[in-house]
Structure formats: structure tokens, C-alpha cells
């Protein structure tokens, strides 16, 4: 199993996603002899998972069922164990596009954090590219290295435990792109410039506060970066539902009553008119924004090495 080389069959040692519904899923490490508890009952790895195809519908011990999915960076972002705040697919998608990443690209990243963006970057630059990721916290760096090994992508990533603001990325003049997600990105702009290739490399900095963005933009300008611009990506989800609305009475019923000689004031006729109005309803699909939506996550500042 690999996050970049997809397989058909679930094997011992794989990381799989147990899918109970769009709002309910979790990762599980497949191990011979192990069991996983769900609200629908027990899943036995040896008999229910190993040897089955990814995407299979698995029946649990209580009679309910789940789907077993092959992991992807998108599914991992939704289910990974949080060691830090993470980037989600809304920001990740614009980052990979604006950094102009493709298979074979060399990318530098700091910090690694929980590895949400890292997995997406690795999938984008595979099979011939490479990710150099720097993490200040030693335990987080070791855990990230372990996850990359379990996910079959360790040959595409180099994890370094050091302070990028003091020691840089450990590479020079080879990176096509640099990504910064640290408290003081302006202190690392010089090292980012050194890591980037001679001309045309792209840099992105993620910061939650506009004051951080201002200082970072000034540092980029002083270091000779061009095309500096800042974006804020907001996701707005709509709830699609069926709405029933009555057809308004525009007077046609009154005209019909006068032409046929019916007494509209009679109680029996009034009841008949009401019934007709109730029957005159139309159903259609309507999109309504959710009452609570995820707002500001951070600002993305992009620039080009001139």
C-alpha cells in the first residue's frame, strides 16, 4: 500500500479508511489477528479485510456494514491524528496550483506538523520529485517520519529536525517551490531564497494574522522576490434540499367561478377552492448555505524568485 501507488487488494500492514458515512470515517492499520470496533460491530482484520479489494462492503458482527477505502491525501487530511493545526483541502488545492507543482518538482516545506499538506505535496511531485520537510519539534519530526514509512512514501521525502529560521532547509539552489507555515516566516525568507533554484522558483507563506503577512511581504520585497500577492480562501457549503411551495392564486379561480355561476360565498364552494389551492403546489431543489460555516483560516502569500 502506498499513498501514491494505488493497489487493489488490502494487505497486512496497510493503512485503510473505514467509511461509515460522509461525516463518519477513521483510519485503521490492518494487522493479522487484530479487530476493530465500530458502532455496527466488530471488524476482524484477518477474515474481513486482508485479501479483500479496496472499496469492498464489509459486514460487521452486528449486521451493519462499512466500506473499506484506499487512503488518499484528501481522506488522510480528514482522518489524521492531529499533532498541530492542519491545512485542509481548500487551502491545499490553491497552494499546489499557485506553486506550479508537477511530477518531478523539488519542494521544501516548514513546518511538517501533522503531515496534512506533506502528503498532498508528495502525491503531486511523485514519482520522480522530492519533498524536503523541516520540523522544529523533535517528536513531531520522528512521528512524521514513521508515518511516511508506513504509508510507503519515505523514498519521496526527507524529514529534518531543525530550526529553519536559523539553519535553513539543508539544500541550496535546487527547489522549485518553498512553503512556510511557521510563526515568523519573515525570518526564513533568506533561507528560502537560498534553497530555491536560480530563477523562477515560487514561494508560499501561510499566516493566520495580517500583521505576519505584512512583515513577510516586506522581507520578500527586500530579498528581491516579485509578483507578491496575498489570497484568502473561504469555503461556503450549501445544503441541497427539496422545497414545496404553493402556486399563488392570481384570480383565475374567481373568473372560473363567475363564468360557471357558482356561488363563491357558499361554505361548500369555499372548501373546494381551498382544496384546489392546497393541491396546486410545486416541488423543486433549493440550495441553502449552512447556518455555521468555517470562516478565516489564514492568508496565503505567494511570490516568485526573480
Amino acid at each position: 500500500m502506498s499513498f501514491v501507488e494505488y493497489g487493489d487488494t488490502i494487505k497486512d500492514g496497510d493503512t485503510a479508511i473505514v467509511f461509515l458515512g460522509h461525516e463518519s470515517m477513521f483510519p485503521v492499520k490492518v494487522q493479522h489477528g487484530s479487530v476493530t470496533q465500530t458502532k455496527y460491530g466488530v471488524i476482524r482484520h484477518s477474515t474481513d479485510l486482508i485479501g479483500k479489494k479496496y472499496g469492498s462492503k464489509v459486514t460487521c458482527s452486528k449486521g451493519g456494514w462499512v466500506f473499506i477505502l484506499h487512503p488518499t491525501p484528501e481522506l488522510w487530511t480528514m482522518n489524521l491524528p492531529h499533532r498541530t493545526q492542519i491545512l485542509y483541502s481548500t487551502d491545499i488545492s490553491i497552494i499546489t496550483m499557485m506553486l506550479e507543482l508537477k511530477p518531478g518538482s523539488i519542494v521544501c516545506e516548514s513546518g511538517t506538523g501533522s503531515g496534512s499538506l506533506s502528503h498532498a505535496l508528495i502525491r503531486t511531485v511523485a514519482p520522480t520529485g522530492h519533498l524536503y520537510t523541516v520540523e522544529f519539534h523533535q517528536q513531531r519530526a520522528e512521528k512524521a517520519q514513521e508515518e511516511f514509512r508506513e504509508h510507503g512514501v519515505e523514498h519521496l521525502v526527507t524529514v529534518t529536525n531543525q530550526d529553519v529560521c536559523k539553519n535553513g532547509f539543508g539544500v541550496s539552489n535546487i527547489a522549485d517551490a518553498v512553503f512556510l507555515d511557521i510563526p515568523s516566516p519573515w525570518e526564513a525568507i533568506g533561507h528560502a531564497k537560498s534553497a530555491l533554484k536560480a530563477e523562477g522558483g515560487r514561494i508560499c507563506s501561510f499566516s493566520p494574522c495580517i500583521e505576519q503577512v505584512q512583515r513577510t511581504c516586506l522581507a520578500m520585497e527586500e530579498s528581491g522576490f516579485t509578483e507578491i500577492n496575498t489570497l484568502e480562501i473561504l469555503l461556503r457549503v450549501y445544503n441541497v434540499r427539496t422545497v414545496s411551495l404553493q402556486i399563488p392564486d392570481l384570480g383565475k379561480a374567481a373568473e372560473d367561478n363567475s363564468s360557471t355561476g357558482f356561488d363563491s360565498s357558499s361554505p361548500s364552494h369555499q372548501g373546494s377552492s381551498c382544496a384546489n389551492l392546497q393541491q396546486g403546489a410545486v416541488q423543486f431543489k433549493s440550495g441553502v448555505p449552512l447556518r455555521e460555516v468555517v470562516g478565516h483560516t489564514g492568508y496565503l502569500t505567494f511570490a516568485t524568485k526573480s
Side-chain angles (χ1 to χ4, degrees):
M1 186 277 304
S2 170
F3 273 54
V4 296
E5 298 173 0
Y6 298 101
D8 293 331
T9 307
I10 304 171
K11 299 180 178 63
D12 188 15
D14 282 3
T15 298
I17 304 297
V18 180
F19 181 90
L20 294 85
H22 289 290
E23 302 297 329
S24 180
M25 63 184 88
F26 60 89
V28 61
K29 185 173 182 179
V30 179
Q31 293 178 315
H32 185 78
S34 296
V35 297
T36 297
Q37 290 282 353
T38 74
K39 63 182 180 181
Y40 301 125
V42 173
I43 301 174
R44 295 175 176 82
H45 294 196
S46 300
T47 57
D48 297 333
L49 298 184
I50 297 176
K52 300 290 182 64
K53 288 186 175 295
Y54 279 107
S56 296
K57 185 178 180 179
V58 174
T59 302
C60 305
S61 61
K62 293 182 181 179
W65 48 267
V66 298
F67 288 105
I68 307 300
L69 306 181
H70 195 292
T72 64
E74 292 78 14
L75 289 175
W76 185 245
T77 291
M78 297 171 63
N79 296 282
L80 58 79
H82 285 225
R83 299 182 288 272
T84 60
Q85 289 289 339
I86 69 170
L87 289 176
Y88 290 91
S89 297
T90 308
D91 290 314
I92 291 173
S93 59
I94 198 72
I95 290 170
T96 54
M97 183 189 76
M98 294 294 288
L99 288 182
E100 302 174 2
L101 301 181
K102 60 185 181 299
S105 296
I106 306 297
V107 187
C108 293
E109 175 197 26
S110 182
T112 312
S114 300
S116 173
L117 175 64
S118 303
H119 282 81
L121 294 177
I122 291 170
R123 197 263 307 271
T124 303
V125 304
T128 55
H130 201 83
L131 171 66
Y132 295 89
T133 182
V134 178
E135 174 56 51
F136 175 79
H137 193 276
Q138 181 179 356
Q139 290 181 336
R140 287 202 292 262
E142 293 173 353
K143 185 61 179 176
Q145 181 68 61
E146 178 185 341
E147 287 180 349
F148 293 142
R149 183 169 55 254
E150 291 178 352
H151 298 165
V153 296
E154 72 276 8
H155 62 291
L156 296 170
V157 56
T158 299
V159 181
T160 306
N161 173 221
Q162 64 187 29
D163 186 351
V164 71
C165 296
K166 295 180 180 180
N167 307 113
F169 294 93
V171 297
S172 299
N173 302 319
I174 65 169
D176 298 289
V178 169
F179 176 79
L180 298 174
D181 183 6
I182 55 178
S184 52
W186 54 90
E187 296 181 2
I189 296 300
H191 294 296
K193 183 178 180 180
S194 299
L196 287 169
K197 60 187 181 181
E199 185 177 0
R202 295 279 286 166
I203 183 173
C204 174
S205 174
F206 176 90
S207 297
C209 301
I210 195 64
E211 291 81 6
Q212 294 171 303
V213 173
Q214 292 170 333
R215 294 189 65 175
T216 303
C217 288
L218 289 174
M220 288 178 175
E221 191 174 13
E222 290 173 359
S223 296
F225 283 91
T226 59
E227 299 178 343
I228 302 172
N229 63 89
T230 299
L231 308 177
E232 181 183 24
I233 312 302
L234 299 177
L235 176 65
R236 192 176 189 187
V237 179
Y238 279 77
N239 182 23
V240 179
R241 60 187 183 186
T242 301
V243 179
S244 180
L245 292 180
Q246 283 198 317
I247 300 174
D249 180 8
L250 301 179
K252 187 175 186 303
E255 294 175 1
D256 292 344
N257 292 343
S258 61
S259 62
T260 56
F262 287 149
D263 182 6
S264 61
S265 62
S266 94
S268 61
H269 188 67
Q270 287 178 350
S272 175
S273 298
C274 290
N276 290 335
L277 285 176
Q278 290 176 355
Q279 293 174 359
V282 60
Q283 292 186 339
F284 62 94
K285 297 290 184 181
S286 175
V288 180
L290 301 181
R291 291 186 177 181
E292 295 183 3
V293 297
V294 177
H296 172 76
T297 57
Y299 300 102
L300 294 169
T301 300
F302 296 91
T304 303
K305 182 177 179 181
S306 176

